[in-house]
Amino acid sequence: MKTIEEIMHLPRVCVKNLAPDGVAGFIEMPGEKRVMAFIASFGGGWDHVSVSYHHRCPTWDEMQRVKDLFFGEEEIVVQYHPAKSQYVNNHPYCLHLWKPHIEMIPTPPTWMAGARLGQTASEALREGMQALAGKRAEV
């Protein structure tokens, strides 16, 4: 996650509160008349950004913009869907991005989702078929 100093100098980000482990404020999102509230923190072994509007949940594209604002291009972050017994919902329109400090977040191979930028669909399919053939050979 970016440092507090970097966050404080981001365009369209207005920091209202500082804390020892993070910041809070508002983000002006392009095309949106209302600002998005945010809290960004890095305590307890986690980088965490929560964002919300008062009237709706952020969209996928907005969450991607938030990720790009607060994290580096090659950092992997997640939105969790917890077990029902661990579910917390203190705001109906709030979403969270998480990144653990110590562990690497596992990610599936890109071919499982589709073609990467600059890769054709047939290349992705071939990559997947080769990977699956290799797994069968190991059994």
Side-chain angles (χ1 to χ4, degrees):
M1 189 158 89
K2 294 180 179 171
T3 65
I4 290 176
E5 293 77 23
E6 289 172 314
I7 293 169
M8 290 179 67
H9 292 95
L10 290 170
R12 295 190 138 113
V13 173
C14 177
V15 173
K16 292 292 188 180
N17 296 314
L18 290 169
D21 70 340
V23 294
F26 300 97
I27 305 168
E28 295 177 28
M29 295 300 276
E32 180 63 32
K33 293 178 184 173
R34 298 182 177 142
V35 294
M36 177 188 287
F38 79 89
I39 298 172
S41 62
F42 49 83
W46 290 87
D47 290 337
H48 168 245
V49 178
S50 66
V51 292
S52 63
Y53 287 114
H54 288 290
H55 63 296
R56 66 173 178 84
C57 275
T59 66
W60 171 263
D61 287 339
E62 288 168 334
M63 291 302 288
Q64 185 61 44
R65 284 191 208 118
V66 169
K67 190 269 184 194
D68 290 343
L69 280 171
F70 290 90
F71 294 91
E73 285 184 5
E74 294 300 312
E75 287 186 275
I76 297 169
V77 303
V78 295
Q79 287 182 259
Y80 284 106
H81 293 260
K84 191 159 186 105
S85 63
Q86 301 297 311
Y87 190 70
V88 174
N89 187 11
N90 294 321
H91 188 294
Y93 304 125
C94 185
L95 297 176
H96 304 264
L97 297 174
W98 298 93
K99 180 183 176 213
H101 289 171
I102 297 173
E103 300 144 13
M104 290 293 297
I105 298 171
T107 59
T110 56
W111 58 262
M112 287 185 155
R116 292 185 303 277
L117 188 61
Q119 184 183 44
T120 66
S122 60
E123 289 170 337
L125 179 60
R126 187 171 31 259
E127 184 180 333
M129 291 174 69
Q130 289 171 346
L132 292 173
K135 293 288 182 196
R136 278 187 285 234
E138 293 173 7
V139 176

